[in-house]
Amino acid sequence: VAAGWTGHYLAVEDYGGGATYGPYDLVLTQDPTNPNRFHMDNFYDQGLEAYIDFDGAAGTVKFPDQTLANKPLTNSSRTFVQCPGGADINLNYDGGDWVYHLTRY
């Protein structure tokens, strides 16, 4: 099931208060040693590489603690909904709640 996340997506970020960012291109690739971890090649549309862990049984997703462009990415977890055409990932990051809409192409 986890391998189904691998692919090319059009990403749109919706922040609390109605602000949106995107769309932009994003590629998710599965980690060869941890099948629940996926690497993003274009986090925040800034060419940053980040990784995200999915727990399909619990329906949760999180960014494990990491540093991107000298900025910590920590304590970020919530839920996701996957569908054949993409997914919605709900997270708390950068001090606010946001929804990451991914549409596969």
Side-chain angles (χ1 to χ4, degrees), residues 2-103:
W5 284 98
T6 298
H8 296 261
Y9 294 90
L10 191 63
V12 175
E13 301 171 28
D14 288 335
Y15 295 93
T20 61
Y21 181 74
Y24 59 88
D25 294 321
L26 178 75
V27 176
L28 293 180
T29 54
Q30 191 173 29
D31 188 290
T33 59
N34 180 347
N36 293 317
R37 178 167 288 173
F38 288 81
H39 297 270
M40 301 175 156
D41 73 336
N42 193 20
F43 184 69
Y44 261 13
D45 195 24
Q46 295 179 2
L48 300 173
E49 292 188 23
Y51 51 93
I52 193 166
D53 289 344
F54 293 93
D55 182 338
T60 59
V61 61
K62 71 175 182 174
F63 282 112
D65 292 352
Q66 54 196 291
T67 301
L68 305 173
N70 296 320
K71 184 175 182 180
L73 175 57
T74 59
N75 300 320
S76 181
S77 63
R78 282 287 194 316
T79 60
F80 69 89
V81 176
Q82 188 176 16
C83 59
D88 287 338
I89 300 171
N90 300 285
L91 285 167
N92 180 287
Y93 170 66
D94 215 10
D97 293 326
W98 55 280
V99 180
Y100 209 17
H101 301 284
L102 301 179
T103 304

